[in-house]
Amino acid sequence: MFIEKIKNNGKDYLRLVHAVRKPNKKGQMVSTKNVILNIGPLDRFDDGEPGYLDRLKKSFKAGSPLIPELQPYCDSKAPSETYHITINEGSPDCFGHPRLFSHLFLERILEELGLNTFFSSYKGFTRLQYDIYGFAKLLIFGRLLNPGSKSAAVRQNKDYYEPILSDGYNPDNVYDTLDFLYENKDKIIRRINTNLVKKAGRSPEIIYYDVTNFYCEIEDPDEDILDEEGTLISKGTRKFGVCKEERKLPIVQMGLFMDDTGIPIAIETFPGNTLDHLTLRPALKKNIDDLDFSRFILIADRGICNYMNLLHVTDAGNGYIVSKSLLKSTKKEQDWAYSEDGYIHIGDDFKYKSQIIKRKVKDENGASRTLEEKVVVYWSKKFQMRCERENKKFLDFLKKLEESPENFRITSLQSKSLRKFLRKECVNKKTGEIMDSNEIKTMVDFDKVAEYRRSMGYYQIVTSELTMDAQDVIDKYHGLTQIEDQFRVMKGDLETRPMYVWTKEHIEAHLLICMIALILLRVIQRRIVQSGQISVDPDAYWSTGLNGRRIQTALNKWKVDLLQGEYYRFMDVDDPDLKLILDAFDIKIPAKLYRRSELKAIKTATKIFM
């Protein structure tokens, strides 16, 4: 077998061939070639150094090809290379300086997402004088590998095997890059989605949506900007709102769309005091409605259950599955849910039933509409026990209050501080009636307490999919836990908060960087699952294969160390987690020392999507 170069559509093309002799039509023995492997265009592998093709052929004969895909075709009996390295005591070479190699792997993912061509084309079009793609890569890689400030991401430049930015760069351009990301956010998200559809086979029949928020390390919220007449020009972004982490700091709201494989589709940012249900329609209009998606079913939690939102979804030809508070439903709906009639029991721990109803609702233009939907209610013993466990202290307090209101007391510590401000009587402001505070029982509606207790364990879901089986509705809704996990990864592994950037533009750019880093992480996790190396629960909607923190740690171990003689040595490629990642992407790293051109070949030969 040998490597030959041919012309293919006018381009130099490499292939691996085997010379054989066989009879022609006249019965004469002639030499011919069988193609063993079509390697690809020469310029895909050429490292730019002189004599690449000759070096490639020699490396193949020696059993250590510059192109890893050729390794299985090498002669196993080829002589192994012996390295001769001499280091004198006192030489700087006595100390190693391992540098990250994993960024080249992450760069391949960005290339498959189309971001390399996006940034290069925009740089040429706008004639930017700085390396916009280089700064963007530093921000994205830094967020995934070593989360920190924007300036810290730039300082990490020389931590990589190949510094991403060339010498002489201006570190302040990182903030210009944030401005660029903000201005082109929609185009970047569209480019990523287009390539995920083309290359990863994304077909979002199910789209999950949820809202979370991130706190900011500031004391005062942003002020709204008004004109001279007091008309609102723009709202401040960092506002006081209901913080998911119960921090008393200004927050920023973020809505996230995600497909059923756990890969984000788009994000949208809102002021921190925006209610969850008010985020969906603007987010859909800006990010989803114009995408070339086939019909999908939107799945969201009860905070989004607003019929103006749901009609917007169905008017666009799509469907929905959302939860709806049973306590906020009509008495007729509650009575139906609590009645045993019609329930299908699965053992003693689970039951469900459904019905199709028509509702009179109003759309976003205020017009009255009739909406037909399926209502699914289920009861789960496991869910009931969790509710009781999470609310035990509150329920115990209510029980004591109901049984002995006269014994209701504040703590001794509270009494010392508040005693001088307390009075024995309570006054009804409307009637002027004075009530003894011991009669506090009258201030609590214990019928509602009983209703609250009764609802524990029950869950209500509404859907536009009238013919979908009720159990399928429940199963698909439970996939929403995926998006909650993505929020945990963003807040934990990617350290999205607290946010130290302060302008609206930089806040949105920061969240876009975090979204792209999350996409890289999910692509890796998805490939690990697809590789079949791990056991996956067949009843689970999805699996990470390897959690975010372990992937971070593994990628930070993937380093190379430069030795004397321009040889490179890989570090920790036998680490179990790193090996799992390498095997999942079929990245072969034989036990040997490497030349620079061989390192480049590892990157170019890596296939991201199966």
Side-chain angles (χ1 to χ4, degrees), residues 399-607:
K399 184 178 180 181
K400 291 178 181 178
L401 181 61
E402 183 176 16
E403 294 174 349
S404 307
E406 68 280 358
N407 293 330
F408 175 65
R409 294 289 185 271
I410 59 176
T411 65
S412 58
L413 181 62
Q414 291 172 322
S415 66
K416 289 181 181 178
S417 302
L418 300 176
R419 184 171 296 166
K420 59 182 178 181
F421 300 106
L422 298 178
R423 61 167 89 172
K424 187 175 178 61
E425 298 83 15
C426 298
V427 179
N428 185 323
K429 288 185 177 181
K430 290 186 178 180
T431 65
E433 180 185 1
I434 299 176
M435 297 174 291
D436 192 314
S437 60
N438 287 335
E439 299 299 324
I440 194 170
K441 180 176 180 179
T442 60
M443 300 171 65
V444 178
D445 187 341
F446 283 98
D447 289 338
K448 290 185 176 180
V449 173
E451 185 180 324
Y452 176 67
R453 288 179 183 274
R454 187 184 186 188
S455 70
M456 288 187 173
Y458 285 90
Y459 213 86
Q460 180 176 243
I461 303 170
V462 295
T463 178
S464 60
E465 309 307 291
L466 304 182
T467 61
M468 184 178 289
D469 181 77
Q471 276 193 293
D472 286 344
V473 172
I474 295 169
D475 290 342
K476 282 182 168 51
Y477 176 78
H478 285 168
L480 192 61
T481 56
Q482 296 182 59
I483 206 166
E484 295 170 358
D485 185 79
Q486 306 314 306
F487 289 152
R488 284 192 291 270
V489 171
M490 291 184 76
K491 293 179 179 182
D493 302 334
L494 303 182
E495 298 183 17
T496 303
R497 87 298 183 254
M499 292 193 287
Y500 295 101
V501 288
W502 61 277
T503 66
K504 170 183 170 61
E505 295 79 10
H506 289 184
I507 288 171
E508 291 206 26
H510 169 73
L511 292 176
L512 176 61
I513 290 164
C514 294
M515 173 190 159
I516 297 173
L518 181 59
I519 290 174
L520 300 187
L521 187 62
R522 287 296 299 133
V523 166
I524 296 170
Q525 291 173 327
R526 183 185 180 194
R527 185 65 178 269
I528 291 172
V529 173
Q530 290 175 331
S531 71
Q533 298 181 79
I534 61 168
S535 298
V536 177
D537 183 354
D539 295 327
Y541 257 82
W542 72 307
S543 171
T544 62
L546 207 61
N547 67 45
R549 186 66 69 189
R550 288 174 65 180
I551 289 177
Q552 277 183 330
T553 302
L555 292 179
N556 274 295
K557 289 181 177 181
W558 193 7
K559 297 180 179 181
V560 290
D561 191 18
L562 177 59
L563 302 175
Q564 190 188 54
E566 293 297 314
Y567 285 110
Y568 288 87
R569 175 178 60 178
F570 274 103
M571 317 295 291
D572 291 319
V573 289
D574 56 349
D575 174 81
D577 286 349
L578 179 53
K579 189 176 185 305
L580 181 63
I581 296 171
L582 298 178
D583 289 345
F585 285 87
D586 199 28
I587 299 173
K588 308 298 184 186
I589 302 183
K592 51 171 285 189
L593 299 185
Y594 290 78
R595 295 289 189 180
R596 190 176 186 86
S597 58
E598 294 175 286
L599 297 182
K600 181 179 179 181
I602 292 174
K603 175 195 170 185
T604 56
T606 300
K607 294 182 179 179

Side-chain angles (χ1 to χ4, degrees), residues 32-181:
T32 186
K33 292 178 288 190
N34 288 338
V35 178
I36 305 300
L37 175 69
N38 286 307
I39 302 172
L42 174 60
D43 58 9
R44 181 190 299 173
F45 306 101
D46 195 343
D47 55 16
E49 299 179 12
Y52 174 77
L53 185 56
D54 289 338
R55 288 186 285 112
L56 174 61
K57 291 179 178 179
K58 289 179 181 178
S59 68
F60 178 70
K61 289 181 180 179
S64 54
L66 296 179
I67 300 176
E69 288 176 315
L70 294 173
Q71 188 67 51
Y73 303 95
C74 290
D75 183 358
S76 60
K77 297 181 180 179
S80 60
E81 184 178 357
T82 301
Y83 309 104
H84 300 281
I85 297 174
T86 302
I87 301 177
N88 297 321
E89 183 178 354
S91 168
D93 291 334
C94 291
F95 299 103
H97 298 87
R99 298 182 189 278
L100 284 168
F101 186 80
S102 53
H103 74 292
L104 294 182
F105 165 62
L106 298 176
E107 192 171 298
R108 278 290 296 124
I109 303 179
L110 292 184
E111 291 171 1
E112 289 296 288
L113 296 176
L115 293 185
N116 58 328
T117 54
F118 176 87
F119 280 95
S120 61
S121 63
Y122 267 80
K123 182 178 180 181
F125 177 76
T126 58
R127 297 184 180 180
L128 293 171
Q129 298 301 308
Y130 63 96
D131 186 358
I132 180 72
Y133 187 40
F135 278 101
K137 285 191 289 186
L138 282 174
L139 290 170
I140 295 166
F141 299 160
R143 183 56 48 187
L144 179 54
L145 298 173
N146 296 293
S149 67
K150 305 298 177 285
S151 57
V154 176
R155 290 195 299 271
Q156 292 167 6
N157 183 50
K158 290 193 175 181
D159 292 343
Y160 301 105
Y161 144 69
E162 285 185 335
I164 295 174
L165 296 175
S166 302
D167 290 339
Y169 64 85
N170 179 359
D172 290 339
N173 286 142
V174 70
Y175 300 105
D176 298 320
T177 302
L178 293 177
D179 292 331
F180 178 90
L181 292 172

Side-chain angles (χ1 to χ4, degrees), residues 220-263:
D220 299 317
D222 294 335
E223 294 184 358
D224 298 335
I225 299 177
L226 310 175
D227 63 16
E228 294 180 355
E229 298 178 355
T231 303
L232 179 68
I233 298 176
S234 66
K235 290 183 178 181
T237 302
R238 300 173 298 178
K239 295 284 191 178
F240 284 120
V242 181
C243 180
K244 307 285 185 182
E245 300 172 78
E246 300 182 355
R247 304 253 185 173
K248 296 182 179 180
L249 292 168
I251 58 175
V252 174
Q253 290 275 69
M254 186 197 77
L256 172 67
F257 293 100
M258 185 189 74
D259 68 19
D260 60 357
T261 67
I263 298 180

